[in-house]
Amino acid sequence: MDSTTNEGASSSSSSSYTHSWTYDVFLSFRGEDTRYNFVGHLYNNLVQKGFKTFIDDEALKRGEEISSALLKAIEQSRISVVVFSENYASSRWCLDELVHIFHCKEQLQQMVFPVFYKVDPSDVRNQRKSFGKALVDHESKLKDNMDKVLRWRETLTKAANLSGWSFLADGYFSDLYVLISFNS
């Protein structure tokens, strides 16, 4: 897998144990929607601010399972920033990634910050519009694995219930940087 990181200060977290983080930030996003605009700008700005940031640079192939290297990068990140965009839920890969991010939130006390890029958080929470259509499509293709679709639905709702940021257009990231800086 070809992934890109920047070198920066490492951070650690304390709860009942100390976890050593490889990355400050993991970016979860739908490449076709945001890689060359919003997420590309966000990544470049995080790097410039000194955050060690993981971004998956590999073009995803249809039908492939999420890679073990990507799962490991999620586990080794202190913060996950999930960028919800119009086609996010159409990707099984993105949805599997989101479920793993929430597993890490619960098990490793990883922080999760949702960003709603040109989508309404209530459409993510309630699986309406493109999110609803994508999940209905997944249900028709995964009739033998409805538990997986149910996990995706539940995790989308959990994510949209977190406090996050809405961007109707490519925007200004200062509030996001302040929160990431405060939590790193």
Side-chain angles (χ1 to χ4, degrees), residues 25-45:
V25 180
F26 178 91
L27 294 174
S28 174
F29 61 97
R30 180 75 163 131
E32 69 185 45
D33 288 351
T34 62
R35 179 182 305 279
Y36 299 111
N37 50 48
F38 184 84
V39 168
H41 296 303
L42 177 59
Y43 172 78
N44 288 332
N45 281 282

Side-chain angles (χ1 to χ4, degrees), residues 2 19 34 38 41 47 86 96 101 115 117 148 175:
D2 178 24
H19 184 87
T34 62
F38 184 84
H41 296 303
V47 169
E86 185 176 357
D96 285 341
I101 286 168
V115 174
Y117 178 72
K148 183 173 205 154
D175 290 345

Side-chain angles (χ1 to χ4, degrees), residues 23-166:
Y23 304 102
D24 296 313
V25 180
F26 178 91
L27 294 174
S28 174
F29 61 97
R30 180 75 163 131
E32 69 185 45
D33 288 351
T34 62
R35 179 182 305 279
Y36 299 111
N37 50 48
F38 184 84
V39 168
H41 296 303
L42 177 59
Y43 172 78
N44 288 332
N45 281 282
L46 286 168
V47 169
Q48 288 174 358
K49 299 273 186 206
F51 295 104
K52 190 170 183 186
T53 304
F54 181 93
I55 187 170
D56 182 21
D57 278 346
E58 187 173 299
L60 305 179
K61 287 103 181 151
R62 288 197 184 275
E64 277 191 11
E65 294 294 317
I66 191 168
S67 75
S68 60
L70 196 58
L71 293 174
K72 187 174 181 182
I74 292 168
E75 293 162 7
Q76 294 175 337
S77 299
R78 179 172 173 75
I79 297 168
S80 282
V81 174
V82 181
V83 180
F84 293 106
S85 57
E86 185 176 357
N87 295 302
Y88 186 92
S90 67
S91 166
R92 293 184 207 179
W93 189 297
C94 287
L95 294 170
D96 285 341
E97 194 175 278
L98 183 66
V99 168
H100 195 67
I101 286 168
F102 270 79
H103 171 78
C104 291
K105 178 184 186 319
E106 293 162 7
Q107 298 299 311
L108 303 173
Q109 292 74 48
Q110 182 185 79
M111 288 172 272
V112 179
F113 299 141
V115 174
F116 303 94
Y117 178 72
K118 298 184 180 180
V119 296
D120 187 317
S122 68
D123 292 338
V124 177
R125 182 180 305 111
N126 300 309
Q127 287 102 56
R128 294 187 305 232
K129 296 187 179 177
S130 65
F131 286 82
K133 180 185 179 313
L135 287 158
V136 167
D137 289 347
H138 292 313
E139 286 172 343
S140 69
K141 293 174 185 164
L142 297 172
K143 290 180 177 156
D144 295 335
N145 199 354
M146 293 304 285
D147 286 345
K148 183 173 205 154
V149 178
L150 180 60
R151 268 193 313 278
W152 291 341
R153 286 185 177 279
E154 290 170 347
T155 307
L156 284 166
T157 300
K158 283 182 193 177
N161 282 335
L162 294 175
S163 181
W165 293 267
S166 292

